[in-house]
């Protein structure tokens, strides 16, 4: 992960191309740096003979400690040199870890101020040993960068292209250096270009021609380096070193100041600011890569330790991360759309990102039921749109004018949450913490049965009983079709119909709101406490509201307005899949597992890979037709200035493509296979209920549920939820039990470092460093969430840490 030290200034040197003078100018920097401090030079990968190696040139002309990690004989691109050598392949992870390890050892070995230069090979996009381009392979290190420009014909273009490639990946480019050329004069053009972008540029005399006599060549070259140390125009190697030192100290000063500036000016979401009084309470995120933040601390474990350290983003940044942070393909998709469109008006118009996204969604989560897609900006807005759609569809069928004062409500589940805008809030109860002064809570909410592992067994807790009913396996719980006709279904139907019948009778007596839609979070109620709802219960709930029984307050059974599959029955059914959709819980959409599709559904979060906000509301044609009419007043008059923002749409299209690759790649098969084995010893065979699997290890989940102090555990897809016992404060969002129990995850890495040594262990974090864990709690529930491509090694490490924390509290 990112490395930053107070005493060791580190810069990575990239070239705009090969043969642009990277080694020569890096040697000049090393030589200038050596005048005032120890200096180190690292060449991660070198190809060609040792006598011609860059490390040898630096050693000849600068008093530095030099090192090369991987040396290959053939003078070709590193990926080809590695193939020709016939050695075992070197992965990006191995390369990055080796570089990070060297940097950390250097920092430890030199407690006094020092400088280190890491010189890459070839150009920015030259392949590494694995074949990944250097710009991508080295990105997890996030070292501040020096770009060596190209002074030759065509060098203006290659230099700018290299700079933009680094910029798109988030690199900090502290300086651009290149040779002067009196004929091409690239430095003149590039000086203005980079000045406009506030990037420091310096140009230097070209090196002398090689001489055949080695001694004469050495003296000529050494004299050249002496000349580069001084310049009347402020562009000497010493000036460059001074500028790089200033960039380093400026970055430290900026990071040092961020906590106080934040406390003095920022208003955080979902944070009680009275609990954040100290600068140490502010989590300063300097960058992010894969599943990790790179966080800053003023006071590291030792004076020579990095001020930046990896921190596992175990909430997937509020459930959004899909492929990890700084994913190249989605980043480029955003740039592609920004460059082509910026933002353009969408009403009455179309553009390719929005159209392709719409078509992809109808082929994907909307397949078989949806015919229309409305594109908005976030999950809460998407739900506002969904509720408006549902209520209009219902009023049209019920013969109620949308302009009347008819009181309408929704049917939902107790503890549901659909967003923080007022309309979405009104689809949830007015109790708990998700409320405000204007929130009314319009509807009826039913307490649902939940699914969890308790004491190693999987069960369903009935809402009307204070006990669990046990199943042989989780697959048995989620095999909805096999459970049809069971006592569970009968009990659920009676329970639901009893509540609706009683409400309808009371409503008529007091002229209360008529129920006009069913709004649910299928399978998992996220913000309400990570409650995994019995899927059979939700299937029965859908069946009941589509039954058309007037005594239950649902519309008479009709299917009109959309052709095949385009109509709806009873009450419009809305699936809030903002959290669970697009494989977050192991399935693309929950309808297939429930055996019933919605009439309206909302997706967000995973939709854009965790990069930019966007939401989509899918609907049946029959719902769309409810807004059809001669006057504009009948239209869906909902929108915002950035509706169908081209950047978000393009990123979403790219995200769906990347998800498709993961689904087809077989990378999830091992996790699925482990969960398919559940219950085999009890005669369950190998039946696979599609979607019932998790990236979390089944045995780990079962063992956790047996621990003292753990009330229940549940996992599906990326999600792990652990409910801890809180005898003092009970349960609910206001409980601090889970926060207190898992607080050790923030500091466990320091304990490991103290006993095993700071660099004794190699972890799954980029660079192999020990890492802390950033997690979120919901009262007495702690949840942890992977990306769709989190490496199994990282998941196993987090499981071990969770076990260490909980195991210290209660043994099996």
């Amino acid at each position: 992960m990112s490395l930053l030290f107070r005493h060791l200034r580190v810069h990575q040197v990239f070239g705009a191309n090969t043969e642009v003078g990277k080694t020569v100018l890096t040697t000049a920097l090393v030589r200038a740096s050596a005048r005032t401090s120890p200096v180190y030079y690292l060449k991660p990968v070198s190809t060609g003979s040792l006598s011609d190696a860059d490390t040898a040139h630096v050693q000849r002309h600068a008093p530095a400690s030099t090192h090369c990690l991987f040396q290959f004989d053939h003078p070709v691109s590193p990926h080809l040199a590695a193939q020709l050598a016939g050695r075992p392949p070197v992965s990006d992870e191995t390369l990055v870890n080796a570089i990070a390890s060297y940097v950390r050892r250097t920092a430890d070995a030199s407690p006094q101020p020092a400088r280190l230069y890491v010189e890459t090979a070839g150009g920015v996009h030259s392949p590494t040993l694995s074949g990944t381009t250097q710009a991508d392979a080295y990105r997890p290190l996030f070292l501040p960068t020096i770009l060596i420009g190209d002074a030759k014909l065509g060098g203006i273009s290659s230099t700018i292209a290299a700079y933009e490639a680094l910029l798109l990946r988030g690199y900090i480019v502290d300086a651009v250096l290149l040779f002067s050329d009196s004929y091409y004069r690239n430095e003149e053009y590039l000086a203005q270009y980079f000045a406009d972008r506030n990037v420091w540029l310096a140009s230097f005399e070209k090196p002398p021609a090689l001489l055949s006599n080695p001694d004469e060549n050495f003296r000529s070259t050494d004299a050249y380096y002496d000349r580069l140390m001084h310049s009347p125009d402020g562009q000497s190697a010493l000036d460059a070193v001074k500028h790089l030192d200033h960039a380093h100290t400026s970055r430290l000063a900026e990071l040092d100041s961020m906590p106080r500036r934040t406390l003095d000016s920022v208003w955080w979401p979902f944070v009680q600011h009275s609990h954040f009084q100290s600068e140490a309470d502010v989590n300063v995120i300097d960058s992010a890569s894969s599943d990790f933040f790179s966080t800053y601390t003023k006071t590291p474990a030792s004076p020579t330790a990095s001020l930046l350290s990896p921190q596992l983003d175990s909430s997937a940044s509020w459930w959004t991360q899909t492929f990890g942070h700084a994913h190249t393909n989605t980043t480029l998709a955003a740039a592609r759309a920004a460059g082509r469109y910026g933002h353009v008006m969408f009403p009455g118009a179309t553009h390719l990102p929005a159209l392709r996204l719409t078509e992809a969604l109808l082929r994907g989560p909307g397949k078989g039921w949806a015919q229309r897609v409305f594109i908005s900006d976030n999950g809460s807005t998407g739900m506002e749109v969904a509720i408006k759609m549902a209520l209009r569809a219902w009023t049209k069928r019920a013969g109620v004018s949308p302009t009347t004062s008819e009181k309408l409500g929704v049917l939902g589940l107790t503890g549901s949450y659909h967003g923080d805008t007022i309309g979405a809030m009104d689809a949830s109860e007015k109790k708990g913490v998700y409320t405000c002064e204007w929130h009314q809570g319009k509807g009826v909410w039913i307490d649902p049965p939940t699914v969890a592992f308790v004491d190693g067994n999987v069960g369903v807790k009935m809402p009307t009983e204070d006990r669990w009913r046990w199943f042989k396996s989780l697959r048995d719980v989620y095999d909805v079709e096999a459970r049809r006709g069971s006592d569970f279904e009968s009990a659920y139907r009676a329970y639901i119909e009893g509540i609706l019948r009683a409400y309808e009778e009371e409503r008529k007596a007091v002229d209360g709101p008529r129920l006009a839609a069913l709004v649910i979070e299928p399978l998992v109620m996220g913000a309400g406490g990570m409650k995994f709802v019995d899927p059979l219960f939700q299937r029965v709930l859908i069946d009941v509201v589509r039954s058309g029984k007037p005594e239950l307050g649902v519309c008479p059974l009709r299917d009109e307005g959309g052709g095949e599959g385009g109509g709806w029955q009873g009450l419009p059914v809305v699936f809030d899949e903002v959290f669970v959709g697009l494989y977050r819980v192991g399935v693309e959409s929950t309808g297939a597992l429930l055996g019933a599709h919605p009439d309206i559904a909302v997706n967000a979060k995973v939709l854009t890979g965790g990069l930019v906000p966007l939401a989509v509301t899918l609907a049946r044609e029959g719902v769309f037709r409810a807004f059809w009419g001669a006057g504009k007043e009948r239209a869906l008059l909902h929108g915002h200035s950035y509706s169908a923002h081209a950047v978000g749409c393009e990123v979403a299209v790219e995200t769906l493509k990347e998800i498709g690759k993961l689904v087809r790649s077989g990378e999830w098969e091992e996790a699925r296979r482990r969960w398919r084995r559940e219950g085999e010893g009890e005669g369950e065979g190998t039946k696979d209920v599609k979607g019932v699997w998790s990236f979390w290890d089944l045995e780990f989940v079962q063992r956790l549920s047996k621990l003292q102090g753990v009330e229940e555990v549940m996992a599906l897809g990326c999600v792990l939820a652990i409910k801890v016992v809180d005898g003092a404060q009970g349960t609910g969002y206001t409980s601090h039990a889970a926060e207190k129990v898992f607080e050790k995850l923030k500091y466990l890495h320091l304990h490991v470092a103290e006993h095993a040594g700071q660099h004794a262990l190699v972890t799954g974090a980029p660079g192999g460093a020990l890492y802390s864990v950033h997690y979120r709690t919901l009262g007495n529930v702690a949840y942890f969430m992977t990306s769709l491509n989190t490496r199994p090694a990282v998941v196993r490490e987090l499981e071990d840490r969770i076990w260490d924390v909980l195991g210290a509290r209660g043994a099996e």
Side-chain angles (χ1 to χ4, degrees):
M1 201 61 183
S2 307
L3 295 166
L4 180 67
F5 307 87
R6 289 204 186 275
H7 69 295
L8 178 67
R9 191 257 290 160
V10 186
H11 272 87
Q12 185 166 255
V13 183
F14 275 107
N17 207 335
T18 191
E19 301 296 331
V20 295
K22 279 197 314 299
T23 302
V24 170
L25 291 177
T26 302
T27 302
L29 294 173
V30 171
R31 187 167 173 140
S33 298
R35 293 193 172 196
T36 55
S37 76
V39 62
Y40 300 84
Y41 170 88
L42 175 65
K43 184 76 173 182
V45 180
S46 179
T47 63
S49 67
L50 284 173
S51 61
D52 295 329
D54 296 338
T55 50
H57 181 88
V58 174
Q59 285 176 332
R60 283 194 295 270
H61 297 286
S65 172
T66 65
H67 187 65
C68 178
L69 296 173
F70 299 94
Q71 171 70 41
F72 295 88
D73 294 335
H74 294 87
V76 293
S77 177
H79 76 292
L80 182 56
Q83 294 174 23
L84 295 173
R87 298 189 209 169
V90 178
S91 67
D92 293 338
E93 180 185 8
T94 299
L95 176 60
V96 166
N97 286 355
I99 297 171
S101 178
Y102 175 85
V103 174
R104 289 192 292 264
R105 291 197 309 271
T106 301
D108 285 344
S110 181
Q112 70 269 38
R115 302 175 179 105
L116 166 63
Y117 297 92
V118 181
E119 184 189 340
T120 62
V124 165
H125 282 309
S126 292
T128 58
L129 297 172
S130 69
T132 305
T133 73
Q134 291 184 125
D136 288 328
Y138 291 148
R139 172 56 182 79
L141 293 167
F142 197 64
L143 298 176
T145 294
I146 302 164
L147 175 62
I148 307 301
D150 190 345
K152 301 186 296 294
L153 180 64
I156 291 175
S157 176
S158 62
T159 302
I160 293 173
Y163 169 72
E164 291 186 347
L166 294 171
L167 202 65
L168 280 170
R169 288 160 177 80
Y171 283 94
I172 299 171
V173 180
D174 278 337
V176 176
L177 311 179
L178 78 162
F179 294 134
S180 300
D181 188 292
S182 60
Y183 185 76
Y184 295 119
R185 298 161 59 182
N186 291 356
E187 70 277 8
E188 296 178 10
Y189 182 92
L190 292 172
Q192 185 60 53
Y193 176 88
F194 285 107
D196 291 344
R197 288 151 182 81
N198 201 31
V199 177
W200 193 83
L201 180 143
S203 58
F204 300 87
E205 171 192 346
K206 284 183 177 181
L210 289 174
L211 302 178
S212 58
N213 183 292
D215 292 337
E216 292 179 3
N217 187 68
F218 174 81
R219 287 192 294 272
S220 172
T221 305
D222 219 47
Y224 164 74
Y225 283 123
D226 277 339
R227 292 196 299 275
L228 295 190
M229 295 304 107
H230 303 282
S231 172
D233 58 4
Q235 292 198 332
S236 69
L238 290 172
D239 292 320
V241 169
K242 183 179 179 180
H243 167 75
L244 295 172
D245 289 345
H246 176 72
H248 176 70
T249 56
S250 295
R251 185 181 178 200
L252 292 176
E254 180 93 289
L255 287 165
D256 282 340
S257 72
M258 286 173 65
R260 175 45 52 194
R261 289 157 57 194
T262 299
L263 291 172
D264 290 345
S265 60
V266 169
W267 193 335
W268 284 309
F270 281 94
V271 166
Q272 176 46 261
H273 280 246
S274 66
H275 299 167
F276 287 72
Q277 298 293 319
S278 168
E279 291 185 20
D281 296 331
V282 182
N283 195 37
V284 179
I285 301 173
D286 179 64
S287 64
S289 178
S290 67
D291 290 299
F292 291 84
F293 302 141
S294 183
T295 60
Y296 179 79
T297 177
K298 289 183 181 180
T299 55
S302 74
T304 59
S306 174
L307 302 171
L308 295 174
S309 58
Q311 183 180 69
L312 181 62
D313 177 12
S314 74
S315 70
S317 278
W318 257 349
W319 321 345
T320 63
Q321 287 308 306
T322 308
F323 317 114
H325 300 275
H327 184 261
T328 299
N329 287 355
T330 52
T331 300
L332 293 177
R336 185 165 63 239
R340 180 171 178 175
Y341 298 99
H343 172 60
V344 294
M345 282 287 292
F346 193 62
T350 191
H351 52 74
L352 276 176
L355 182 57
R356 286 172 174 167
L357 174 59
T358 295
E359 293 170 342
L361 291 166
L362 296 179
R363 291 192 303 268
K367 185 177 181 179
W369 68 271
Q371 290 82 33
R372 297 284 174 169
V373 177
F374 188 98
I375 307 173
S376 57
D377 61 335
N378 62 61
S380 186
T381 304
M383 284 303 299
E384 293 268 352
V385 172
I387 292 167
K388 285 185 176 181
M389 290 178 177
L391 299 185
R392 173 66 63 83
W394 183 91
T395 57
K396 184 175 181 181
R397 178 166 300 180
V400 176
S401 171
T403 60
T404 66
S405 58
E406 178 81 20
K407 291 182 289 185
L408 302 178
V410 301
L411 176 62
L413 301 181
T414 302
S416 59
Y417 169 88
H418 304 291
D420 300 314
T421 51
I422 293 295
M425 290 176 69
D426 280 352
S428 300
E429 300 164 282
K430 186 174 174 59
K431 70 176 185 178
V433 297
Y434 299 119
T435 188
C436 71
E437 291 75 7
W438 218 354
H439 174 205
Q440 296 184 28
K442 302 173 182 177
V444 176
W445 294 273
I446 302 177
D447 195 17
T450 56
V451 183
F453 284 90
V454 178
D455 197 24
N457 301 306
V458 63
V460 171
K461 191 169 188 179
M462 305 289 284
T464 55
E465 303 172 355
D466 189 22
R467 67 185 181 93
W468 291 87
R469 296 197 184 185
W470 305 111
F471 287 74
K472 290 182 178 180
S473 74
L474 195 65
R475 288 172 295 147
D476 288 337
V477 176
Y478 283 86
D479 193 348
V480 172
E481 291 306 317
R483 294 176 64 195
R484 299 299 298 274
S486 66
D487 291 343
F488 277 94
E489 181 177 22
S490 300
Y492 289 160
R493 189 175 299 276
Y495 171 60
I496 294 166
E497 289 189 352
I499 291 173
L500 291 179
R501 188 174 290 107
Y503 174 78
E504 180 64 8
E505 292 174 357
E506 180 183 355
R507 183 197 69 78
K508 290 178 178 178
V510 298
D511 192 28
R514 298 176 67 179
L515 297 182
L518 170 64
V519 182
I520 60 172
E521 298 165 88
L523 300 187
V524 186
M525 296 166 63
M530 290 295 167
K531 297 177 182 177
F532 290 74
V533 181
D534 184 352
L536 177 63
F537 177 83
Q538 292 190 318
R539 170 61 184 273
V540 173
L541 184 59
I542 294 167
D543 290 346
V544 168
V545 301
R546 285 177 170 169
S547 67
K549 295 181 179 179
E551 68 272 20
L552 303 181
V554 298
C555 281
L557 181 63
R558 280 161 56 182
D559 184 359
E560 62 183 25
E564 185 178 354
W568 55 274
Q569 301 171 350
L571 296 184
V573 175
V574 179
F575 279 10
D576 178 351
E577 294 192 322
V578 169
F579 166 41
V580 301
L582 300 173
Y583 295 99
R584 181 60 79 193
V585 294
V587 289
E588 181 180 43
S589 182
T590 57
L593 198 150
L594 293 174
H597 290 299
D599 304 307
I600 304 166
V602 181
N603 273 275
K605 297 192 183 291
V606 167
L607 178 65
T608 51
L611 183 60
V612 291
L614 194 78
V616 291
T617 305
L618 286 70
R620 294 184 186 271
E621 186 71 15
V623 174
F624 171 75
R625 288 286 168 178
F627 292 84
W628 193 272
K632 186 174 181 179
E633 71 279 1
R634 295 292 302 177
L636 177 53
L637 300 180
H638 188 111
H640 57 104
S641 299
Y642 287 89
S643 291
H645 188 224
V647 172
C649 292
E650 186 76 0
V651 171
V653 171
E654 189 67 31
T655 297
L656 296 178
K657 289 179 182 177
E658 292 292 319
I659 291 175
K661 293 177 186 177
L662 284 173
V663 172
R664 296 188 298 271
S665 70
E667 292 182 20
W668 299 346
E669 186 52 36
E670 174 57 26
R672 284 177 167 143
R673 186 180 60 80
R674 289 197 306 270
W675 283 78
R676 277 201 296 268
R677 290 202 302 266
E678 181 201 13
E680 286 180 9
E682 302 171 12
E684 288 300 295
T686 58
K687 182 180 179 183
D688 180 25
V689 178
K690 186 176 181 181
V692 184
W693 67 284
S694 176
F695 292 106
W696 301 93
D697 186 75
L698 173 60
E699 183 180 354
F700 167 74
V701 172
Q702 292 172 323
R703 290 177 62 203
L704 273 187
S705 72
K706 296 179 181 180
L707 290 176
Q708 294 179 14
V710 174
E711 191 170 325
E712 59 189 63
V713 182
M714 187 56 188
L716 272 183
C718 304
V719 184
L720 171 70
I722 305 170
K723 186 177 183 179
V724 300
V725 175
D726 183 6
Q729 299 183 40
T731 62
Y733 190 91
T734 56
S735 167
H736 297 289
E739 180 68 31
K740 291 179 179 178
V741 169
F742 288 97
E743 189 173 16
K744 292 179 182 177
L745 286 176
K746 300 176 183 177
Y747 314 108
L748 194 60
H749 65 298
L750 300 177
H751 177 76
V752 173
E754 181 181 348
H755 289 80
Q758 185 70 29
H759 313 312
L761 301 175
V762 177
T763 72
L770 294 171
Y771 58 86
S772 61
V773 178
H774 183 275
Y775 64 94
R776 298 285 297 182
T777 60
L778 294 163
N780 64 330
V781 175
Y783 66 86
F784 302 88
M785 202 171 300
T786 70
S787 298
L788 296 186
N789 63 346
T790 300
R791 292 187 301 111
V794 173
V795 183
R796 302 291 86 80
E797 287 176 0
L798 182 53
E799 289 173 346
D800 289 344
R801 294 189 182 204
I802 293 171
W803 182 261
D804 288 342
V805 169
L806 291 176
R809 197 168 186 248
E812 288 182 274

